[in-house]
Amino acid sequence: MYFLKSAFQKGLMAVLAVGLLTNCKSDPQVDPTPTPAPARPTQYGTPFTGVPNREDAVIYQVNMRAFSQGGNFAGVTARLDSIKALGANVVYLMPIYPIGTVKGVNSPYAVKDYLAVNPEFGTLTDLRALVDGAHSRGLSVMLDWVANHTSWDNAWITQHPDWYLRNAAGAIQSPPNTNYTDVAQLDFASPPMRLAMIDAIKSWVYTANVDGFRFDYADGPPVGFWKQTVDSLRNIKTHKLLLLAEGARNANFSAGFDYNFGSEFYGGFWDVYRRGKPVSSFNGLNNKEYVGADGTQQVVRFTTNHDVNGSDGTPEYLFGGEAGAMSAFVIASLYKGVPMIYNGQEAGMTTAIPFPFTSVKINWGAKPGVTKAYKQLLAIRAKSPALQHGTTTDYNAPDVCAFTKTAGNEQVLVLVNVRNSATQYNVPPALANATWTDALQGGSVTLSNRMTLPAYSYRVLKK
């Protein structure tokens, strides 16, 4: 979403959403009215067969306005090779729909028409070319979807005013307990609205041949709506869809989402890197964020995204420069979960991209050394089942994030110094006096009982 000034306020919004759910009347967890089968749109293209398993995804977030000088679909299509070379296999596009102007602030998250393409970015043909280009490179494409609210000039406002939440005076209102004044709150107690929303979501699977969705502000709408939505999407047997809830509610897993959003773990980065708290702060978050997840459902981990980049600053600003930003990304991408890269962070940007994302363009190629480090890390992750989705065992020290990942006969040891000074790490007996292979630099490494890690350094060792 937007306007949220930090990850901690974002978590607060999830709590406040309880009030929103109350205002939306009851949540029919099991809708007694069967969902009618709408007329299926004509399928554009051939459903992509290369969608990764959800636990093997590496997600790349594209903010169209900042991504290229043209700020359009064509600018993304032109750099698909670079996204592929980075090591991502899923491209997530921020909202592509026309933006409302009534009470508007030029936010992509104020959707005027769920079934159209924003002419600012191009045409449906341009979007299809992007998706086709991604598929030809082995990349899946996810669209951003805003289900909780619409712009004030969305046609639903006049055609179906009963689909919106009203205040005591009978007026349609903005989402309660938020500062989202540019949008109107939908009423999820309305079965017709739910069906229309689900039909709109599904239409893009056919008309643009996309491979999934990232659902904005997923902790706002009730869980029952998401269960209905996910079940309907899973019933499209021709497509393997990846579904990401931008929320922290553990019930999102029971609704059937592949992913929850790691906003609390991002808050953990703040605690460890900026407030000097011990690395053990991560342990509880790893457990808490996975409550309710089955064997392969994942949490998306990140060091920046479109919300916090503008409000909090770039990873380089937050985590102590290039070395600190990279050490944080090592934890985000290897510790547990699925990594997400926000466009520009792999270019080592020091300038944030503030809302509404129109004032800054990414300076590609400015720091090739940073880009090389991202590529190297993601390449070894892609070659290692243990790093991708192995079982994690913590060996953390106050200043060192240390863990092993194990899958089958492969074991990987990751060591990350989270401080801007050298530190000593006491190697646990279970890991010492053994020979490992350095996955990043090559060669053999025999660990003694004690080792020195330079400031913000990291090691990835395999055996």
Side-chain angles (χ1 to χ4, degrees), residues 380 383-387 405-412 462-463:
I380 65 168
K383 296 176 182 177
S384 169
L387 287 177
K405 300 286 289 291
T406 305
N409 295 325
E410 182 190 30
Q411 185 177 44
V412 182
K462 297 175 64 176
K463 70 174 182 179

Side-chain angles (χ1 to χ4, degrees), residues 148-218:
N148 187 70
H149 43 258
T150 74
S151 72
W152 287 99
D153 47 359
N154 189 297
W156 287 4
I157 291 275
T158 53
Q159 294 174 359
H160 304 285
D162 54 314
W163 289 3
Y164 289 84
L165 190 66
R166 296 173 179 272
N167 61 22
I172 296 173
Q173 59 182 353
S174 294
N177 304 312
T178 76
N179 56 0
Y180 306 158
T181 57
D182 63 321
V183 291
Q185 174 65 49
L186 289 163
D187 184 355
F188 287 88
S190 169
M193 185 281 291
R194 289 187 179 210
L195 296 181
M197 180 69 71
I198 293 169
D199 287 349
I201 297 169
K202 291 168 66 175
S203 72
W204 290 98
V205 178
Y206 300 111
T207 59
N209 199 26
V210 300
D211 310 298
F213 299 89
R214 175 263 194 193
F215 291 99
D216 182 70
Y217 193 45

Side-chain angles (χ1 to χ4, degrees), residues 198-406:
I198 293 169
D199 287 349
I201 297 169
K202 291 168 66 175
S203 72
W204 290 98
V205 178
Y206 300 111
T207 59
N209 199 26
V210 300
D211 310 298
F213 299 89
R214 175 263 194 193
F215 291 99
D216 182 70
Y217 193 45
D219 288 349
V223 175
F225 164 74
W226 290 126
K227 181 69 166 63
Q228 183 182 0
T229 300
V230 171
D231 286 350
S232 187
L233 288 167
R234 298 293 186 211
N235 199 42
I236 303 176
K237 302 303 183 183
T238 52
H239 287 70
K240 178 181 179 180
L241 299 175
L242 298 176
L243 306 177
L244 163 59
E246 191 241 348
R249 184 169 54 189
N250 295 114
N252 293 333
F253 289 125
S254 63
F257 283 108
D258 297 296
Y259 310 109
N260 243 358
F261 211 52
S263 55
E264 292 190 72
F265 202 88
Y266 171 79
F269 280 123
W270 267 76
D271 286 340
V272 171
Y273 277 82
R274 296 186 64 84
R275 300 187 177 105
K277 290 190 177 181
V279 171
S280 58
S281 301
F282 289 137
N283 296 9
L285 294 173
N286 262 340
N287 295 328
K288 180 180 180 182
E289 288 191 329
Y290 274 87
V291 171
D294 69 15
T296 58
Q297 286 173 311
Q298 300 290 324
V299 175
V300 172
R301 295 277 167 81
F302 53 87
T303 57
T304 189
N305 61 50
H306 72 280
D307 276 326
V308 300
N309 187 277
S311 61
D312 297 351
T314 67
E316 294 205 9
Y317 168 77
L318 287 176
F319 305 124
E322 291 179 15
M326 194 65 207
S327 72
F329 183 72
V330 171
I331 297 171
S333 59
L334 301 186
Y335 199 0
K336 191 172 183 178
V338 164
M340 187 182 83
I341 304 104
Y342 179 51
N343 56 198
Q345 75 176 87
E346 80 276 25
M349 285 188 70
T350 57
T351 301
I353 306 173
F355 176 85
F357 321 118
T358 56
S359 60
V360 173
K361 299 292 185 181
I362 298 169
N363 184 10
W364 298 110
K367 294 183 178 179
V370 174
T371 307
K372 181 180 178 180
Y374 273 84
K375 288 181 177 179
Q376 185 182 36
L377 185 72
L378 293 175
I380 65 168
R381 185 184 187 280
K383 296 176 182 177
S384 169
L387 287 177
Q388 286 179 306
H389 46 255
T391 301
T392 302
T393 302
D394 291 314
Y395 294 97
N396 291 329
D399 300 324
V400 178
C401 186
F403 54 89
T404 59
K405 300 286 289 291
T406 305

Side-chain angles (χ1 to χ4, degrees), residues 17-220:
V18 173
L20 172 58
L21 300 187
T22 302
N23 288 329
C24 287
K25 305 174 186 177
S26 62
D27 170 20
Q29 295 286 334
V30 179
D31 191 341
T33 304
T35 302
R40 171 175 163 171
T42 301
Q43 175 69 60
Y44 168 76
T46 303
F48 183 47
T49 59
V51 178
N53 293 332
R54 58 190 177 190
E55 65 271 27
D56 296 330
V58 177
I59 301 171
Y60 187 91
Q61 181 184 8
V62 172
N63 185 335
M64 246 87 64
R65 287 175 164 173
F67 189 84
S68 69
Q69 290 302 312
N72 53 23
F73 294 131
V76 180
T77 304
R79 290 193 60 85
L80 287 172
D81 286 333
S82 296
I83 296 174
K84 174 73 172 180
L86 183 65
N89 54 17
V90 178
V91 178
Y92 139 43
L93 305 177
M94 284 173 60
I96 63 163
Y97 323 100
I99 294 170
T101 56
V102 175
K103 301 185 183 180
V105 292
N106 198 20
S107 169
Y109 291 87
V111 177
K112 184 177 181 179
D113 185 349
Y114 285 117
L115 300 177
V117 169
N118 185 351
E120 174 188 349
F121 302 139
T123 65
L124 176 60
T125 298
D126 297 325
L127 174 61
R128 286 171 168 176
L130 192 165
V131 174
D132 289 343
H135 289 170
S136 70
R137 293 165 173 83
L139 299 169
S140 303
V141 178
M142 299 172 66
L143 300 185
D144 214 335
W145 194 268
V146 190
N148 187 70
H149 43 258
T150 74
S151 72
W152 287 99
D153 47 359
N154 189 297
W156 287 4
I157 291 275
T158 53
Q159 294 174 359
H160 304 285
D162 54 314
W163 289 3
Y164 289 84
L165 190 66
R166 296 173 179 272
N167 61 22
I172 296 173
Q173 59 182 353
S174 294
N177 304 312
T178 76
N179 56 0
Y180 306 158
T181 57
D182 63 321
V183 291
Q185 174 65 49
L186 289 163
D187 184 355
F188 287 88
S190 169
M193 185 281 291
R194 289 187 179 210
L195 296 181
M197 180 69 71
I198 293 169
D199 287 349
I201 297 169
K202 291 168 66 175
S203 72
W204 290 98
V205 178
Y206 300 111
T207 59
N209 199 26
V210 300
D211 310 298
F213 299 89
R214 175 263 194 193
F215 291 99
D216 182 70
Y217 193 45
D219 288 349

